[in-house]
Amino acid sequence: MALTPEDIVNKRFQSSKLLREGYDQDEVDDFLDEIVVEMRSLIADRDALKQRLEAAELRQDEAPAAVVAAPVPAAAPVAAAAPTTQDILEETQSSNNMLVLARRLHEEHVREGIERRDALIAEAHENAARIISDAETTANEQITAYNIQIADLETKVTELRAFESEYRRHLRTYIEGQLKDLDKASSPAS
């Protein structure tokens, strides 16, 4: 399938929403516009050269003897001489070479874009894996710290309950002792 200027004008690339790195879309569009202008110019030159070639071949077919026998006037400027078939073929080949070069540059830019895209995606995956790993490590460290705090608090609660129980026992013993002393004190008086 031959690449036409309309193919370049109508070509739309997918835009990436991942990261902002990549080629500047306006710059790529401007470059593609330059390629379109150059291709149109080359196609027009090629068509003109084809017409000139056909006209030259037609004249050559009509009067082959006259073309060979007719001397070229010395005063005629070189630019005014009709282009030879070789000149036309060389210009056509040059146009074709430009098209091949344009295609090659396009393919190279596309390949570089794909490689850059793949590198960015791989880097994003690595960053995501690292962030997840860091988050899991931090979460595990926090859970371990919280578990230690919970164990310490449970130990303190157990100690406080034991202290409360001991304090109540001492308080009960003290109050019972005071009640006995009060009973003793009130019994002899009665």
Side-chain angles (χ1 to χ4, degrees), residues 24-90:
D24 180 14
Q25 189 172 359
D26 292 334
E27 192 175 327
V28 171
D29 289 342
D30 291 343
F31 183 70
L32 290 175
D33 290 342
E34 289 176 26
I35 292 173
V36 167
V37 168
E38 187 64 28
M39 280 187 71
R40 286 185 176 147
S41 172
L42 292 173
I43 289 171
D45 290 347
R46 183 195 63 198
D47 292 343
L49 290 172
K50 279 183 182 179
Q51 289 176 355
R52 289 170 57 189
L53 177 63
E54 290 170 359
E57 287 175 349
L58 185 62
R59 281 192 305 249
Q60 193 175 21
D61 289 343
E62 291 176 357
V67 172
V68 173
V72 177
V78 175
T84 64
T85 305
Q86 181 64 30
D87 292 338
I88 293 171
L89 289 176
E90 286 176 5

Side-chain angles (χ1 to χ4, degrees), residues 166-183:
E166 184 69 24
Y167 183 78
R168 284 179 185 251
R169 191 177 56 76
H170 282 297
L171 185 60
R172 180 175 286 128
T173 304
Y174 175 76
I175 292 174
E176 286 174 353
Q178 290 296 320
L179 284 173
K180 284 181 186 177
D181 287 345
L182 191 58
D183 284 342

Side-chain angles (χ1 to χ4, degrees), residues 54-170:
E54 290 170 359
E57 287 175 349
L58 185 62
R59 281 192 305 249
Q60 193 175 21
D61 289 343
E62 291 176 357
V67 172
V68 173
V72 177
V78 175
T84 64
T85 305
Q86 181 64 30
D87 292 338
I88 293 171
L89 289 176
E90 286 176 5
E91 288 182 31
T92 303
Q93 183 64 34
S94 175
S95 297
N96 288 339
N97 288 342
M98 288 295 287
L99 286 173
V100 168
L101 177 63
R103 280 194 190 122
R104 198 173 297 147
L105 282 173
H106 170 72
E107 290 168 359
E108 182 179 320
H109 286 296
V110 169
R111 187 182 71 253
E112 287 174 0
I114 289 170
E115 290 172 358
R116 181 72 176 143
R117 177 204 65 196
D118 292 344
L120 288 173
I121 289 172
E123 183 180 340
H125 284 297
E126 289 173 10
N127 286 342
R130 183 181 41 78
I131 289 169
I132 289 170
S133 175
D134 291 347
E136 287 174 348
T137 302
T138 302
N140 289 336
E141 289 172 356
Q142 288 179 346
I143 288 172
T144 302
Y146 290 147
N147 285 337
I148 291 171
Q149 287 179 352
I150 288 170
D152 289 344
L153 290 174
E154 287 175 347
T155 303
K156 286 181 182 178
V157 166
T158 304
E159 290 172 358
L160 286 173
R161 285 186 178 149
F163 174 78
E164 177 193 22
S165 176
E166 184 69 24
Y167 183 78
R168 284 179 185 251
R169 191 177 56 76
H170 282 297

